[in-house]
Amino acid sequence: MLSRSTRKVQPNPDKQTAIKLATPQKNMVRPISIKGALALIAGCSAALLLSACFAALGLTGRPQDPTDRPYKIETVQFAGGPGVTLAGELTMPESKGPHKALVLISGSGPQDRDEALADHRPFLVLSDHLTRAGYAVLRFDDRGFGESTGNFETATLTDFANDTAGAFRFLASQPEIDPAGIGFFGHSEGGYIAPAAARLVDPAFMIFAAGPARSFSDVLATQTADTLRAEGQSDEVIKKAVSDYLEGNKIIAQQKPIKEIHRELSAFMLSIGLPKNELEDILKSFAGPWGLEYATHKPEINLRAFDGPVLALFGDKDLQVSAKEEAPVMRKLLSNARSQVHVFAGLNHLFQPTETGLPSEYEEIEITFAEEVLDHITKWLDTL
């Protein structure tokens, strides 16, 4: 369950409370109440990427941030979904085209074109690496965020897929881009969005970085358990938190009028100890447009429908999208002989070297994106 308080564009105190619940001080085992477990499930820990939680933090620069960019850089605007204009940046090699190209698709929460979070700019680092390697890269602000128009708060998986398809069409219209060589790179929730967009356009390939293969509810149930376990919580607390999440998800997955879902969900959440004044955020998470669509989304349908090559990457210390659970399922769903699933040892959800994988470490780690992963991506692309 992703609380809309973790997906709001504007910073707010509730978000900071959720951060504290999801990221205790290092080496401390924090006792957790039912209320705390609910906040953990509904707040930052339940987001596929804790991007929104860190969006308000200032960025100071990291070792991998490019200090020079020896390639073509264009500020662009293009049509996303109906009525939405997306703003971003297109980088291209100085060499003569047409170039193969990638559309970068961010994870959960309102993101700018750099996917800036936890004092890191993963998409800036990734785009720099790819462009230096000879590929064009389009990255853009999410709808309703940065310089893009539209409403992020009401956006759904379908809306984000339409925006991604719009990015693909924009690239295909550019004379320096090879229209038959455009692919998607999706991080975290972007791994759901890319295959959905591939039903609308025809990408040549897809790359998933911590992209899920199982249903949203399965991913979040595992995420909840893994995060609580890493924090030192008891088996009893973990079992209760997962059970409560799955029960809540059953309610919103029902094919019933939204008012009835709200009523049943409210009664359930209050019955397990959620304070009444926190109910509104839970309802927005469970029973808003975004949550309702994901409650019934079957990612395997879109993954099976794509017959092009896919590179799926995971970190074995990722507590948000479990490599142990997702990688085997992904392998079964991919049909192209050039597809590859690779699990990197010692890396977290952002593909940083980590000790625990806990989100509390993201900002402490100097590395933005492990070089071994960046090199793996370009080597795979070069084989296509």
Side-chain angles (χ1 to χ4, degrees), residues 32-157:
I32 188 167
S33 62
I34 291 178
K35 175 183 175 182
L38 290 174
L40 180 62
I41 300 168
C44 292
S45 159
L48 283 184
L49 174 65
L50 296 185
S51 45
C53 297
F54 296 103
L57 298 179
L59 299 172
T60 58
R62 296 289 186 168
Q64 287 177 292
D65 285 354
T67 55
D68 69 307
R69 298 201 285 168
Y71 39 76
K72 297 177 184 178
I73 303 171
E74 296 182 7
T75 300
V76 299
Q77 289 187 329
F78 55 92
V84 172
T85 299
L86 300 170
E89 186 175 270
L90 173 61
T91 56
M92 294 180 289
E94 290 285 1
S95 59
K96 185 179 179 181
H99 305 290
K100 291 183 179 181
L102 294 91
V103 176
L104 305 191
I105 310 166
S106 64
S108 302
Q111 294 286 332
D112 68 12
R113 64 198 69 181
D114 295 333
E115 201 187 40
L117 72 157
D119 206 9
H120 288 280
R121 301 173 179 87
F123 277 8
L124 175 62
V125 171
L126 176 62
S127 66
D128 180 70
H129 175 84
L130 291 170
T131 309
R132 289 173 186 267
Y135 297 91
V137 180
L138 175 61
R139 63 194 205 284
F140 56 93
D141 302 334
D142 287 348
R143 61 163 61 202
F145 192 72
E147 297 177 17
S148 294
T149 69
N151 188 331
F152 184 89
E153 286 299 304
T154 60
T156 64
L157 168 62

Side-chain angles (χ1 to χ4, degrees), residues 246-265:
L246 292 175
E247 190 63 31
N249 191 74
K250 286 180 184 178
I251 294 172
I252 64 167
Q254 299 176 102
Q255 298 300 310
K256 290 184 177 182
I258 191 168
K259 287 185 178 180
E260 191 169 344
I261 290 175
H262 277 207
R263 181 182 59 77
E264 291 186 22
L265 188 58

Side-chain angles (χ1 to χ4, degrees), residues 9 24 38 56 96 117 173 176 185 190-191 204 250 255 276 300 321 327 351 358:
V9 175
L38 290 174
K96 185 179 179 181
L117 72 157
S173 71
E176 293 184 76
F185 178 99
K250 286 180 184 178
Q255 298 300 310
K276 199 169 186 178
E300 67 273 13
V321 177
F351 293 88
L358 284 167

